[in-house]
Every structure is written in structure tokens, then in C-alpha cells.
Amino acid sequence: MATAKSPQTLVAWLAAVVRAQSRRPAVLGDGKVWTYRELWERSGGIARHLTHDRGVAQGDRVGIVGANEPAYLAAYFGVLRAGCVVVPLNAMLDVAEMREQLALVGATGTIVGEVGAEVRAGLAETQATWSLSGLETAGAGYLPRLAPGTPACIHLTSGSTGTPKGVVHSHGTLLHAALQMAAALPFEPQDRNVAFLPFYAAIPEQVLPTLCTGGSVDVLPGFDAGRVATAAREATTLNAVPTVMARLLDQAPVEDLACLRWVSFASEPMPVSLLQRWWDAVPGVETHQFYGMTELLPMTVAGDRMLREEPGTVGVAFPTSQLYAVDPAGVELTDGEVGELVCRSPARMVGYHGDVEATAAAKTADGAMRSGDLGRLDERGRVFLTGRLKDLIISGGLNIAPAEIEAVACRHPGISAAAVVGIPDERWGETPVVVAVPAGDNGLDAAAVLEHCRTHLSSFKRPSAAAVVADLPSTGIGKLAKAVIREQILDGEIDLVRAN
């Protein structure tokens, strides 16, 4: 007797969940509640509409841009079910950047949701655009059968170091990443996950694991501390980044956050001091950290128990992954030695769209993905990040990791967040400076920041200057925008206080 084979693609897995619990809620938002059956019927209708009425063919790249809303998810899955490749765009980009990214991947057209009139008109100048609210969802007909290797999505890198690259993931790599997240984090069918991070980045790490395990997604259009707190009263979990978690502690009622069962976070290093603030404020809410990159999500995970034992770690590699550190020559390092972290995993990207050379350069000789992050592993396999390879500050010929200085700065009780960047220096070539955000109105000044850092750091790592600002610029998902911070310093928009 033949045994049933597990679904091998994201679409097949979700279809199985729909069959198993068609009447359970899948997506909430805008005053609506869609069951799994309703979400699946809408996405199937959109898939047929695109192929039958819009002239979209299997394999075509289709952009999607707009604020979070339930219809965004229906369209996202509709593109996938049509056998097309979905290309989520950052709605915070200007229209010229969006057109550049769409041209890079050769998009056939773009589904446009809640964006400004200028963006909508600008996109329509160069390609077909379809209003998200105007997509039809009726009809019946054939939808293609997809293979694990079929391209599913292209995520555009931020482009902070140059021209963006299109990261291609297949239906197989997306499914593997979602199931790894679902297995390592405490997802349950009863979960209600508050989704406010922008969908262009958060679907793989938040929406897919939730739906693959039968939970529901409570969709918010973006981050608003009050709305998140209200949603948390009826929810069990949310996914955030450290800067957003700090804002929740500062702005949201603690009793609302305490209603959650667990939270997850990623995207940038979590200051130990912020993690301790969270535990002090809501001790009953579990904290889970994962670490990965657009090209390979996820790589490591640290559960609540591990974080409370070792709050500085980003966890251990997932069971199907192999992660290690290498030196500049690509030689594997021993425990405790700092090097570039590389990872081999079935969740690794297929490659960069149309860029064979960049794809080859991003991998080691044996196929492991280069992370661009510096770190070390201890004897238990726990990973500790020390900085970004490209963020390294070389001062007087010595390497300085900004993350180390940031961690020291955030140990000051009056600092809620800090960023360290390198700026040109006539004597040393480059020198670190620290920009800090005070924890409330506590009178923190740059001199105190400098004194704290210089007291706790070796002489060559000490910042040469500091500034205190009300807030730090961030990307669409809340990560620190260090390139912007550096530019503001060089343009004189951030006033530095020099060390004596």
C-alpha cells in the first residue's frame, strides 16, 4: 500500500491546510474575517483573472506594492498559484527606484494597492498596472501544477551597498523556510499573529509559518503602538524588530502586551539591555529570536530558555542547516574564532536574478551561503554576532566592529538605542562615532555617552565623537539605516561632540 507523500511546494502545503480546516479564520483586517476557504478561493480567482483576463503567463514576474491589507495576501498567493513569480516592492521607495527594480527583474506588470497617486501614475508610465481593489476573483479553470524548483518570488535587496539584486526563491525553498520556522518557534493552530511589519519583507518569516500551521494573521496597515496594543489583547503573538520592541515598551500599555503568549524578533542585533527591559515589563511573554538573511531565511534560532541563559546569542543552526565561520581564505575556523558566517541549507536562494557572477560570488566553493556577517560559534554551537563584514571600521590599520561598541553603549541605563558608524579621519583614516537615543527625557548628553563608552572599551575601539538624537532613521522594516546616519553626520545634520 502506497504511503501519502507530504506536499513538496508552498502552494500544495497551504492547499492541504485549507482542506483540513476550511472554516477556521485565516486572515483578519479591515473589519473582515476570511476563513481559509475564502482566502484560497479569492487567491484562486485572482490567479485565473491574471492569466485569463490580464495576459499574464506562467513564469512571468509580477510586482506588488502597497500597505498591509488582507487583499495583499490574496493577491500574493494568487500570483503564486498562477505559476508566476511575485515581486514585492517596498512602498517607501520613490517611484524611480520602484521602476528600476521592476526593470531589473523584467516584470510584466504590477499590482498596486494603497500608495500615493504619484507612485500609481509613475508606475503606469512604464508598464501595466492593476489596481489591487479592482482584481476580479470569480471564474473557474485550470491552474498549473508547480514543482519545488519552480521560481516563486524575487525579493529585492535594500541596495544600501549599490544596485539592488533580485533574490530568487523557489516554492521549495519558501516551504522549507516556513516549516523550519514553524517547527523551531512555538507556532500553534490557535495562534493569532499581529502583522504590522511591511508584507514586502515579512511574509516569509511571519505569514507563511502562521498559515502553514493553521493559525490566523491579524493584519495592521503598519506600525502604530496603540493599534498593536489593542490587537495584542485578542492575539497570542507578534513578530517585530528590536527598535520596534523598544517603541512598544515606551508607548504601549504593558497590560496589553502581557496578553501575548510569545513574540519573535530578528533583522538586527538585540541589545541585551532592551531584552532585559522586555523581561522586566512582561515576564510571562516568551521571547524567541531568529537570524537569517534575504538569501537564506532562516539560519539560526534562539528560544526563550536559551535567550534567558545567554541573551547575547542569536541561537543555534536549524536542524537541516550547517553553519560555521571561515577566515578570509575560506578556511573553517575553530570554536571561539571570529570570521565570516557561512551556511548551507535547503532554504538557500536559487540565485540572483540574471546575475550568475554575483550568485557565484555569494557562495563558498562547496555551496554554502556567505552571510557577510562576522561572528563566532562556541563549543555548544551557539552563534554570537560581532558585526558586518562591510561595516568594519578600519582605524589606524585595526579592525573595529560597530556592533561591539553599540552593545557597550546600550548598557548605559539612559540609552535606549545606539548606532555606530565610521567617518573619515585625517590621522587614522577612519574613526568610530556613536549616535545615541535617550531612554525618555533623562538629560542624557553626548559627553556622558562618550565617557561611558571610553570607560568600557579598549583604547583603539573608543568612539572619537558622539551625538544624542531623538530618533534614529530606519528602513521600512525598522532596521537602522546606517548609510543615512553616516550621510547626516557628514552633511552636518547631526552635531557631533568630540572627545577630548
Side-chain angles (χ1 to χ4, degrees):
M1 181 176 177
T3 56
K5 189 176 182 180
S6 297
Q8 300 297 301
T9 68
L10 177 65
V11 166
W13 187 281
L14 290 175
V17 177
V18 172
R19 290 193 297 271
Q21 51 177 51
S22 62
R23 297 182 180 180
R24 284 178 57 85
V27 178
L28 306 89
D30 296 335
K32 311 180 187 100
V33 178
W34 289 351
T35 65
Y36 272 85
R37 176 186 293 169
E38 289 169 331
L39 173 62
W40 209 238
E41 288 176 347
R42 286 175 181 273
S43 68
I46 290 172
R48 296 181 182 94
H49 173 65
L50 290 173
T51 55
H52 297 169
D53 304 326
R54 301 292 186 176
V56 177
Q58 186 173 350
D60 281 355
R61 274 77 66 195
V62 177
I64 182 170
V65 61
N68 291 4
E69 56 178 306
Y72 187 115
L73 295 180
Y76 183 99
F77 293 124
V79 174
L80 294 183
R81 295 185 66 190
C84 299
V85 183
V86 64
V87 186
L89 299 176
N90 180 355
M92 294 179 66
L93 298 177
D94 62 43
V95 69
E97 291 177 284
M98 292 184 193
R99 290 194 300 211
E100 178 188 2
Q101 294 187 350
L102 292 167
L104 175 70
V105 302
T108 299
T110 300
I111 299 169
V112 183
E114 291 293 328
V115 297
E118 180 182 345
V119 171
R120 188 178 299 273
L123 291 176
E125 290 178 3
T126 56
Q127 65 168 207
T129 58
W130 308 301
S131 172
L132 179 59
S133 61
L135 290 178
E136 298 178 15
T137 58
Y142 167 81
L143 290 178
R145 177 169 293 186
L146 307 169
T150 302
C153 66
I154 300 178
H155 285 273
L156 283 304
T157 59
S158 64
S160 59
T161 58
T163 303
K165 294 189 286 288
V167 178
V168 182
H169 277 283
S170 69
H171 283 266
T173 61
L174 276 186
L175 176 63
H176 188 88
L179 295 184
Q180 284 283 58
M181 295 282 286
L185 300 176
F187 286 96
E188 293 182 353
Q190 294 75 30
D191 271 329
R192 180 163 163 174
N193 203 326
V194 183
F196 53 83
L197 295 181
F199 281 161
Y200 81 86
I203 285 179
E205 67 188 42
Q206 182 177 18
V207 175
L208 297 187
T210 300
L211 296 181
C212 282
T213 51
S216 61
V217 181
D218 189 352
V219 180
L220 299 184
F223 177 76
D224 176 271
R227 292 191 66 173
V228 172
T230 299
R233 298 172 193 164
E234 304 296 328
T236 59
T237 183
L238 57 81
N239 180 42
V241 298
T243 51
V244 167
M245 291 178 69
R247 291 171 65 185
L248 283 173
L249 288 177
D250 292 337
Q251 302 171 19
V254 171
E255 58 269 22
D256 292 340
L257 300 178
C259 295
L260 298 169
R261 182 169 64 88
W262 64 286
V263 298
S264 62
F265 53 90
S267 293
E268 61 185 1
M270 166 61 82
V272 174
S273 58
L274 174 56
L275 199 51
Q276 190 60 58
R277 281 185 62 204
W278 184 272
W279 290 332
D280 291 343
V282 281
V285 179
E286 293 183 11
T287 50
H288 298 260
Q289 180 170 14
F290 59 94
Y291 158 64
M293 54 194 297
T294 306
E295 292 85 345
L296 201 167
L297 174 75
M299 291 195 287
T300 71
V301 63
D304 184 70
R305 181 175 178 179
M306 183 184 296
L307 280 178
R308 292 177 190 261
E309 292 176 354
E310 190 76 73
T313 185
V314 293
V316 297
F318 281 82
T320 59
S321 302
Q322 181 185 3
L323 186 144
Y324 50 98
V326 297
D327 67 13
V331 177
E332 184 173 351
L333 299 172
T334 58
D335 293 343
E337 293 185 298
V338 174
E340 182 182 9
L341 298 174
V342 299
C343 185
R344 188 182 295 105
S345 167
R348 193 198 73 198
M349 69 170 185
V350 176
Y352 294 118
H353 178 79
D355 199 334
V356 176
E357 290 185 3
T359 300
K363 297 183 291 185
T364 63
D366 60 355
M369 191 76 213
R370 295 185 179 276
S371 71
D373 289 323
L374 294 172
R376 60 180 175 84
L377 284 75
D378 68 10
E379 69 282 357
R380 299 163 295 181
R382 294 181 178 180
V383 179
F384 298 81
L385 298 180
T386 59
R388 285 285 296 168
L389 192 61
K390 293 180 180 178
D391 281 349
L392 272 181
I393 298 169
I394 303 176
S395 185
L398 298 175
N399 292 342
I400 301 173
E404 182 179 356
I405 304 175
E406 290 163 355
V408 168
C410 287
R411 289 205 293 266
H412 188 294
I415 295 176
S416 66
V420 172
V421 297
I423 62 172
D425 182 86
E426 289 185 4
R427 181 180 183 186
W428 303 110
E430 194 175 25
T431 184
V433 299
V434 56
V435 182
V437 176
D441 186 13
N442 57 21
L444 180 75
D445 60 23
V449 176
L450 281 173
E451 177 62 26
H452 172 76
C453 290
R454 294 175 71 82
T455 300
H456 295 89
L457 289 165
S458 301
S459 59
F460 75 96
K461 299 178 182 179
R462 294 171 183 167
S464 63
V468 174
V469 297
D471 203 2
L472 293 169
S474 60
T475 65
I477 60 171
K479 293 174 64 175
L480 291 179
K482 287 195 173 184
V484 175
I485 296 170
R486 187 174 188 273
E487 183 177 344
Q488 290 177 344
I489 292 172
L490 297 179
D491 289 346
E493 296 177 35
I494 294 178
D495 293 324
L496 295 176
V497 173
R498 301 281 176 175
N500 294 327

